């Protein structure tokens, strides 16, 4: 991949994650719709085995997002709930997660009905109330989970303030910005 680390944002937005496609020379990565890729032998492939694990189209998107966000790598998912589930796997049962009290219903059900039963500890707080967030985020917090605007009430969270509270506790700060 080309080095775009010194390029301006607009250039990165156009070129990050892209290389001319080898077979046709297409400038933009084509949408690869195949589910399987040829292998010389089991586990001897050209970088791709099955689309559900990785494919060139998703790889280009992940690279582009990482470059645009100033990250080292990125992950893309087929659904928001797959991303939510993956992020929660960074936490262990018994650890404290501070979450907004106004979350997408599917997220709240996953937290309470699945992860809660596995021993994950959720403390729900009105994240639009900076004082309530400051009170809830303590040294035993390992993750702060936000939606802004929240769903369905469209509450707004001060991301800079809340992220600084999380950083002070060495906690991860996750922001679902679906509505934004």
């Amino acid at each position: 991949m080309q080095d775009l680390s010194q390029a301006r944002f607009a250039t990165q937005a156009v070129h990050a994650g892209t290389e001319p496609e080898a077979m046709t020379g297409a400038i933009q990565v084509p949408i690869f719709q195949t589910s399987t890729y040829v292998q010389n032998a089991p586990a001897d492939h050209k970088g791709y085995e099955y689309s559900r694990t990785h494919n060139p189209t998703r790889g280009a998107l992940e690279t582009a997002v990482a470059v645009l966000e100033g990250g080292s790598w990125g992950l893309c998912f087929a659904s928001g709930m797959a991303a939510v589930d993956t992020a929660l796997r960074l936490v262990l049962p018994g650890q404290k997660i501070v979450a907004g009290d106004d979350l997408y219903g599917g997220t709240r059900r996953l937290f309470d009905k699945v992860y809660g039963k596995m021993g994950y500890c959720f403390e729900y707080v009105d994240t639009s109330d900076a004082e309530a967030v400051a009170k809830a985020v303590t040294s035993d917090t390992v993750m702060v989970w936000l939606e802004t605007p929240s769903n369905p009430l469209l509450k707004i969270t001060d991301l800079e303030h809340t992220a600084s509270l999380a950083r002070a506790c060495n906690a991860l700060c996750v922001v679902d910005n679906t509505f934004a």
Side-chain angles (χ1 to χ4, degrees), residues 31-109:
I31 297 172
F32 286 85
Q33 297 179 323
T34 186
S35 61
T36 59
Y37 297 85
V38 69
Q39 297 184 33
N40 298 322
D44 180 12
H45 52 80
K46 299 176 183 180
Y48 304 99
E49 299 171 278
Y50 300 102
S51 277
R52 70 178 170 267
T53 58
H54 197 246
N55 74 43
T57 308
R58 190 169 71 238
L61 175 61
E62 291 170 339
T63 298
V65 169
V67 168
L68 293 173
E69 292 292 331
S72 301
W73 48 271
L75 296 174
C76 295
F77 298 89
S79 73
M81 290 308 296
V84 170
D85 182 64
T86 299
L88 283 176
R89 291 169 189 269
L90 298 170
V91 177
L92 299 173
Q95 293 182 315
K96 177 182 168 187
I97 300 167
V98 172
D101 63 353
D102 183 41
L103 299 175
Y104 167 65
T107 300
R108 184 69 181 250
R109 282 188 297 278

Side-chain angles (χ1 to χ4, degrees), residues 99-104 126-129 145-160 162-163 173-180:
D101 63 353
D102 183 41
L103 299 175
Y104 167 65
D126 179 355
T127 59
S128 68
D129 179 345
W145 191 280
L146 308 170
E147 287 184 11
T148 191
S150 67
N151 182 354
L153 299 179
L154 302 177
K155 294 179 184 180
I156 302 298
T157 298
D158 182 339
L159 292 178
E160 187 174 357
T162 306
C173 186
V174 179
V175 181
D176 179 341
N177 68 345
T178 300
F179 270 23

